Amino acid sequence: MNASARPTGPFVAACSDVLGAAHVLTDPRDTAPFLTDWRRRYTGEACAVLLPADTQQVAAAVRLAREYRVAIVPQGGNTGLAGGATPDTSGAQAVVSLRRLNRIRDVDPHNNTITVEAGVVLAEIQARAEAEQRLFALSLAAEGSCMIGGNLSTNAGGTGVLRYGNTRELCLGLEVVTPQGEIWDGLRALRKDNTGYDLRDLYIGAEGTLGIITAAVMKLHPAPVARVTALAGLASPHAALDFLAMAQRHAGALLTGFELMSDFSLRLVGRHFGQMRYPFAEPHAQTVLLELSDSESEEHARTLFERLMEEAIGKGLVEDAVVAENLAQSQAFWDLREHIPLAQAAEGLNIKQDISVPISSIGRFIDETDALIAKTAPGARMVTFGHLGDGNLHYNVQAPEGVDPEQFLADYQKRINTLVYEQVHAHRGSISAEHGLGQLKVDEAMRYKSPVEVRLMQAIKAALDPENLMNPGKVVRVPGRSGEKAS
Amino acid sequence: MNASARPTGPFVAACSDVLGAAHVLTDPRDTAPFLTDWRRRYTGEACAVLLPADTQQVAAAVRLAREYRVAIVPQGGNTGLAGGATPDTSGAQAVVSLRRLNRIRDVDPHNNTITVEAGVVLAEIQARAEAEQRLFALSLAAEGSCMIGGNLSTNAGGTGVLRYGNTRELCLGLEVVTPQGEIWDGLRALRKDNTGYDLRDLYIGAEGTLGIITAAVMKLHPAPVARVTALAGLASPHAALDFLAMAQRHAGALLTGFELMSDFSLRLVGRHFGQMRYPFAEPHAQTVLLELSDSESEEHARTLFERLMEEAIGKGLVEDAVVAENLAQSQAFWDLREHIPLAQAAEGLNIKQDISVPISSIGRFIDETDALIAKTAPGARMVTFGHLGDGNLHYNVQAPEGVDPEQFLADYQKRINTLVYEQVHAHRGSISAEHGLGQLKVDEAMRYKSPVEVRLMQAIKAALDPENLMNPGKVVRVPGRSGEKAS
């Protein structure tokens, strides 16, 4: 089981002393759920899965890991899409699950903040905020099982970014266990604090490679009185871009959602989820889902939508539009959007991308890249959808009709990935907009970043984690370390 | 002139070769404006003031500084309030002024971004955004002369933070010259990018101690159609807090300003700027200035204000209220707020604080701290005003009526500073909310931060600037370095 040359038994025994034997898992039946990632792309081994009860125990476990030279892989809800929370195959690493750190420590409605431990499930934070007539604005597909510590460590995005920002913008303060096993209490609940280096934002998005986030102060917003959605059918991504600018001019900060769905994305939903109804009589090349969050009234939002659609149709930008008449219809529109990934899965394996480019370049990016893919893999079907308002596309490629998906991936995945990354690079975009690097894209990131940036990242990693024990092999390659490339 | 043991002549000569002699100032008549800070609290010496023309020249100057072991003090508009851009008194340091890097490189209205060099004056960015029907939301007193590089390096706040965030939240990407004289091109114009450590936010607020920001991609927002202000008279800061929550519930993201002004603050304005009219018949213990930025119409904003004030007066929260009837009256309300610091200066020297606490603690903080100051310095007059919506107060202390301000400062400044800092610390606040640490508060920051946090900051400084040549003595104390405490 343990492929490492270094015996990890004494470390495991010492952890049992500190955490209690019941919270140090070693039996394969117990550890299995922690060793495979959500998409089942990576399976690792671990000398143990540790389940500390609180921040002090996390710190104690890290100190033991340091003493015994055991590398640590922090894990939240294990819903990550880049393998960032899966250990390597050596069996020498220990997973530290934060799931028992699941307390909401404080809610302060006047300050619009909530203080939560790393293992609190995202949906629970949303619910608690709602109970206080507040909104916790982070929202994403995995919200029923992902944990805030993982959201912070990957700087998760989701559907609320257009108005409220990424997880980074929703965080005011952190508590972190450093690689030395010390506790940094940076749990500030302040909107303004200019007293030194921004350690908070350094840990956010670092995927556990610089320390373990154990708690956070998150921002709340006043809850909107009404949320109304609408769908608009358009001829092209270019039209969608012009429409976005128009919608922002009309609605300002009330516009909280602007999601693009290509015709083929919605056809897939129709094929696999027949009960989902596309509300337009004719198909449109692109469909946009808009959401307004209004602090006045539903009526106000509907009037705003009607005014916007009138102008957009009048100017020939929008071909057809429908404003949801009630909550159920709003939900039905969102369901269309949210069933695209599920419909894709039902259609078979596919090549997934999570890219961003400047919003103004999206139209050109899609035109050019679609053409290149059509040349490389004739008949490949493009499932293009995502957060247009953030410049973030899930630009996915499905095998041609009738072609075996596994064979297609074997033949084309590498070439298409390279082609897309080159296009993203040429448009000064990001190859991982909201999912992080994990182990999936760390080598690509090192290749596409400038040598200056890679050296800066390495200098920071070496300064804070000189022994490279915190989630090694994720996010950044440490020079002169072999054995990092496992799995 | 040059108090250092190390001769800087060869460095200055080498800089002249690279930048041209006209852009290497050494004559005291030329260098004087760069050597004293805006508040005239610090005056330093410099072996030269360098005026590079572009990023390449900044990098060349930094490489020379490294070669000749000359410390560098970056400077923008020299309007900082904490002495962060003033060299020490040794005469061995060189000031690098960014004022010639003053190009707007790009405006992308569809992406809502503007790419600017470090030396562009803030007001110029605002004007350029306006020409594109966009808003650049950073706004502060010095906007006519401060430069965006300095705003970024100090993470400036100002009056738009409630809705749009600090400078940090308005920045998408940076170009930085590292202490090694390399250029990091991080000029990304992306809303989402999760590919590694957040170097951008590390440089923001680092006050030039980790490198020199030479350019940035800044966020724009759709320009609001109307801005309307109102004043409300209230009995206490506690009432103002409840009123803030009510205003946020009514107006959501339309609420872009919420400024508190104590009775005495406004009396001082009345005394020194008689032409400024307080619009209420009776004085109120606290006056709040509210601003709505509306994407629909002025009428819509006014209706919203009227509905809010009706509820607030009905519930006894607000004693009296007036909504500005036109642009001129809106401006007059802002003038009241903006003349408080000027009235203070006219009244004489005073003890200034730029603190923040959680918004929910502001009432208690003011009550407790006012009482402590009254006991310590009987008769001292409290000039309390600021960005209540951000938890940020300018909590200033004026000498008692008739007491010589200089004598008062000599007697009380240290004790009152300590008392306020202790109170801020007890309320988990910040001793520098929006002005940075510079040289003014670096020792206090080191004292109030935990040893863990200080060590983390020192590790980052040592990793990125191992020779401590970038603005030494500012923001963080480097262990084992003497001579840092100059000036």
Side-chain angles (χ1 to χ4, degrees):
Chain A
M1 183 95 185
N2 185 336
S4 163
R6 226 181 289 132
T8 51
F11 165 72
V12 175
C15 286
S16 293
D17 284 349
V18 172
L19 309 181
H23 305 300
V24 178
L25 312 181
T26 53
D27 187 311
R29 283 165 302 185
D30 298 330
T31 59
F34 299 88
L35 302 181
T36 294
D37 75 312
W38 189 77
R39 286 170 67 194
R40 309 204 155 272
R41 284 188 162 239
Y42 299 99
T43 296
E45 297 285 341
C47 64
V49 173
L50 310 180
L51 296 161
D54 55 28
T55 303
Q56 295 296 338
Q57 286 200 355
V58 174
V62 169
R63 288 194 299 272
L64 286 175
R66 202 169 172 230
E67 186 182 337
Y68 291 94
R69 295 281 179 280
V70 172
I72 271 186
V73 181
Q75 188 177 101
N78 197 19
T79 61
L81 297 173
T86 311
D88 68 16
T89 53
S90 70
Q93 302 186 328
V95 171
V96 173
S97 168
L98 281 301
R99 62 164 61 174
R100 291 177 69 214
L101 280 79
N102 58 1
R103 283 162 291 259
I104 294 180
R105 291 192 191 164
D106 184 50
V107 187
D108 184 344
H110 252 118
N111 196 42
N112 276 315
T113 48
I114 186 166
T115 306
V116 290
E117 293 185 345
V120 180
V121 170
L122 173 50
E124 200 190 324
I125 306 177
Q126 295 166 341
R128 182 60 184 273
E130 209 179 315
E132 306 276 351
Q133 287 85 54
R134 295 294 184 277
L135 169 74
F136 182 57
L138 185 65
S139 177
L140 45 92
E143 61 197 24
S145 44
C146 66
M147 294 170 185
I148 191 68
N151 299 143
L152 285 159
S153 291
T154 57
N155 185 27
T159 53
V161 176
L162 180 64
R163 160 71 181 93
Y164 302 102
N166 297 283
T167 307
R168 180 183 304 290
E169 284 83 32
L170 294 172
C171 179
L172 291 177
L174 290 180
E175 178 187 83
V176 171
V177 170
T178 70
Q180 290 70 42
E182 300 184 303
I183 298 166
W184 172 53
D185 177 358
L187 285 175
R188 291 169 195 139
L190 307 172
R191 258 72 185 174
K192 284 180 171 175
D193 174 29
N194 284 344
T195 59
Y197 301 148
D198 182 10
L199 302 174
R200 176 191 68 202
D201 285 306
L202 193 56
Y203 290 116
I204 295 175
E207 302 188 37
T209 62
L210 301 176
I212 303 179
I213 294 172
T214 51
V217 180
M218 305 301 296
K219 273 190 217 170
L220 303 176
H221 288 87
V225 167
R227 286 200 207 189
V228 181
T229 64
L231 290 182
L234 304 99
S236 71
H238 299 273
L241 275 184
D242 288 334
F243 185 44
L244 171 63
M246 187 186 286
Q248 287 182 316
R249 185 162 48 72
H250 273 261
L254 271 55
L255 184 69
T256 49
F258 199 93
E259 299 281 316
L260 185 77
M261 305 175 279
S262 71
D263 179 42
F264 182 65
S265 308
L266 292 174
R267 280 178 198 270
L268 271 190
V269 173
R271 176 181 299 182
H272 296 283
F273 300 92
Q275 75 281 19
M276 306 255 148
R277 271 196 60 247
Y278 185 63
F280 298 119
E282 300 291 322
H284 299 272
Q286 303 290 336
T287 303
V288 166
L289 184 158
L290 302 92
E291 183 187 72
L292 293 181
S293 297
D294 204 299
S295 48
E296 288 180 62
S297 66
E298 195 178 312
E299 195 199 327
H300 178 255
R302 298 177 59 79
T303 308
L304 222 156
F305 256 148
E306 281 152 20
R307 222 180 296 150
L308 165 66
M309 297 305 185
E310 198 177 41
E311 184 184 337
I313 291 174
K315 293 207 168 148
L317 216 47
V318 163
E319 299 171 338
D320 202 354
V322 52
V323 179
E325 297 198 353
N326 49 46
L327 219 61
Q329 201 175 10
S330 273
Q331 190 51 54
F333 291 174
W334 271 114
D335 280 348
L336 277 176
R337 163 66 180 83
E338 280 161 7
H339 277 72
I340 298 174
L342 304 173
Q344 272 201 282
E347 183 76 6
L349 278 179
N350 53 76
I351 302 169
K352 282 199 185 347
Q353 308 288 350
D354 165 41
I355 61 100
S356 70
V357 293
I359 295 166
S360 46
S361 306
I362 282 190
R364 261 179 306 135
F365 173 85
I366 294 178
D367 291 348
E368 290 172 20
T369 317
D370 279 4
L372 288 169
I373 289 178
K375 218 190 298 181
T376 304
R381 296 169 301 166
M382 302 305 305
V383 185
T384 305
F385 66 101
H387 318 296
L388 190 75
D390 316 322
N392 177 198
L393 291 180
H394 300 300
Y395 185 77
N396 300 344
V397 185
Q398 207 94 28
E401 193 82 47
V403 171
D404 173 54
E406 272 194 55
Q407 190 57 47
F408 178 72
L409 257 67
D411 292 345
Y412 289 103
Q413 175 153 269
K414 222 173 151 187
R415 280 152 68 188
I416 290 182
N417 278 348
T418 303
L419 184 162
V420 173
Y421 294 161
E422 291 290 333
Q423 277 289 105
V424 168
H425 191 63
H427 284 277
R428 295 185 69 89
S430 169
I431 62 167
S432 188
E434 58 174 6
H435 296 163
L437 297 175
Q439 49 188 300
L440 179 66
K441 292 186 185 166
V442 57
D443 287 318
E444 283 75 8
M446 296 298 104
R447 191 173 323 131
Y448 286 106
K449 283 179 185 291
S450 66
V452 175
E453 183 161 343
V454 171
R455 281 198 296 276
L456 286 167
M457 285 176 59
Q458 289 169 336
I460 289 166
K461 171 73 172 171
L464 299 190
D465 180 24
E467 296 166 276
N468 193 28
L469 290 177
M470 303 306 295
N471 216 3
K474 317 290 167 59
V475 182
V476 61
R477 291 280 172 215
V478 175
R481 298 267 175 175
S482 62
E484 264 212 345
K485 290 207 155 194
S487 95
Chain B
M1 182 94 185
N2 185 338
S4 162
R6 223 182 293 134
T8 51
F11 166 73
V12 176
C15 286
S16 293
D17 285 348
V18 172
L19 308 181
H23 303 119
V24 177
L25 312 181
T26 52
D27 186 312
R29 284 166 301 185
D30 298 329
T31 60
F34 299 88
L35 303 180
T36 294
D37 74 311
W38 189 76
R39 288 170 67 195
R40 310 204 152 272
R41 282 185 164 242
Y42 299 99
T43 295
E45 297 284 342
C47 64
V49 173
L50 311 180
L51 296 162
D54 54 29
T55 304
Q56 295 295 340
Q57 286 201 355
V58 173
V62 169
R63 288 195 298 272
L64 287 175
R66 203 169 170 229
E67 184 182 339
Y68 291 93
R69 295 282 179 278
V70 171
I72 271 186
V73 180
Q75 189 176 101
N78 197 18
T79 61
L81 298 172
T86 311
D88 69 14
T89 54
S90 70
Q93 302 186 327
V95 171
V96 173
S97 167
L98 281 301
R99 62 164 62 174
R100 290 177 69 214
L101 279 79
N102 59 0
R103 284 162 289 257
I104 293 179
R105 291 192 192 165
D106 183 51
V107 187
D108 183 345
H110 253 120
N111 196 40
N112 276 314
T113 48
I114 187 166
T115 305
V116 290
E117 293 186 343
V120 180
V121 170
L122 173 50
E124 200 190 324
I125 306 178
Q126 296 167 340
R128 182 60 185 272
E130 211 179 311
E132 306 275 351
Q133 286 85 54
R134 295 294 182 277
L135 170 73
F136 182 57
L138 184 65
S139 177
L140 45 90
E143 61 198 22
S145 44
C146 66
M147 293 170 186
I148 192 67
N151 300 144
L152 285 160
S153 292
T154 58
N155 185 26
T159 54
V161 176
L162 179 64
R163 161 69 182 96
Y164 302 102
N166 298 282
T167 307
R168 180 184 303 292
E169 283 83 32
L170 294 172
C171 178
L172 291 177
L174 290 180
E175 179 187 82
V176 172
V177 171
T178 71
Q180 290 71 41
E182 299 184 303
I183 298 166
W184 172 53
D185 177 357
L187 285 175
R188 291 168 195 139
L190 307 172
R191 258 72 186 175
K192 284 180 170 173
D193 174 31
N194 283 345
T195 58
Y197 301 149
D198 182 11
L199 302 174
R200 175 191 68 201
D201 284 307
L202 192 57
Y203 291 114
I204 296 174
E207 302 188 37
T209 63
L210 301 177
I212 303 179
I213 294 172
T214 49
V217 180
M218 306 301 297
K219 273 189 220 173
L220 303 176
H221 287 87
V225 167
R227 287 200 206 191
V228 181
T229 65
L231 291 182
L234 304 100
S236 71
H238 299 274
L241 275 185
D242 288 332
F243 184 44
L244 171 63
M246 187 185 287
Q248 287 182 316
R249 185 162 47 73
H250 274 261
L254 272 55
L255 184 69
T256 48
F258 199 93
E259 299 280 316
L260 185 78
M261 304 175 279
S262 72
D263 178 43
F264 182 64
S265 308
L266 290 174
R267 280 179 198 269
L268 271 191
V269 173
R271 178 182 295 181
H272 295 282
F273 299 92
Q275 76 281 19
M276 306 258 147
R277 271 197 61 246
Y278 184 62
F280 299 118
E282 300 291 322
H284 300 271
Q286 303 290 337
T287 303
V288 166
L289 183 159
L290 302 91
E291 182 188 72
L292 293 182
S293 298
D294 204 300
S295 48
E296 289 180 64
S297 65
E298 193 177 314
E299 195 198 331
H300 179 254
R302 299 176 59 79
T303 308
L304 221 158
F305 256 148
E306 279 153 21
R307 224 180 294 149
L308 165 67
M309 296 305 186
E310 198 177 41
E311 184 185 337
I313 291 173
K315 293 208 168 147
L317 215 50
V318 162
E319 299 171 339
D320 203 353
V322 53
V323 179
E325 296 196 355
N326 48 45
L327 219 62
Q329 202 175 11
S330 273
Q331 190 51 53
F333 291 174
W334 271 115
D335 281 349
L336 277 175
R337 163 65 181 82
E338 280 161 7
H339 276 73
I340 297 174
L342 304 173
Q344 271 202 285
E347 184 76 5
L349 277 179
N350 53 76
I351 302 170
K352 283 200 184 349
Q353 308 288 351
D354 164 43
I355 61 101
S356 70
V357 293
I359 296 165
S360 46
S361 307
I362 282 190
R364 263 179 304 134
F365 173 86
I366 293 177
D367 290 350
E368 289 172 21
T369 317
D370 278 4
L372 287 169
I373 290 177
K375 220 191 298 180
T376 303
R381 296 170 300 168
M382 302 305 305
V383 185
T384 304
F385 66 101
H387 319 295
L388 191 75
D390 316 322
N392 177 199
L393 292 179
H394 300 298
Y395 184 78
N396 301 343
V397 186
Q398 207 94 29
E401 193 80 49
V403 170
D404 173 52
E406 272 194 53
Q407 190 57 48
F408 178 72
L409 258 67
D411 292 346
Y412 288 102
Q413 175 152 271
K414 221 173 152 185
R415 281 151 68 187
I416 289 182
N417 278 348
T418 303
L419 184 161
V420 173
Y421 294 159
E422 290 290 332
Q423 276 290 106
V424 167
H425 191 63
H427 285 275
R428 297 186 67 89
S430 170
I431 63 168
S432 188
E434 58 173 6
H435 297 164
L437 297 175
Q439 50 188 300
L440 179 66
K441 292 185 185 166
V442 56
D443 288 318
E444 283 75 8
M446 297 297 104
R447 192 176 319 131
Y448 286 104
K449 283 180 186 292
S450 67
V452 175
E453 182 162 341
V454 171
R455 280 198 298 274
L456 286 167
M457 285 176 58
Q458 289 169 336
I460 289 166
K461 171 73 171 171
L464 299 189
D465 181 24
E467 297 167 273
N468 194 28
L469 290 177
M470 302 306 296
N471 216 2
K474 317 289 167 59
V475 181
V476 61
R477 290 281 173 216
V478 174
R481 299 269 175 170
S482 63
E484 265 215 344
K485 290 204 154 199
S487 94

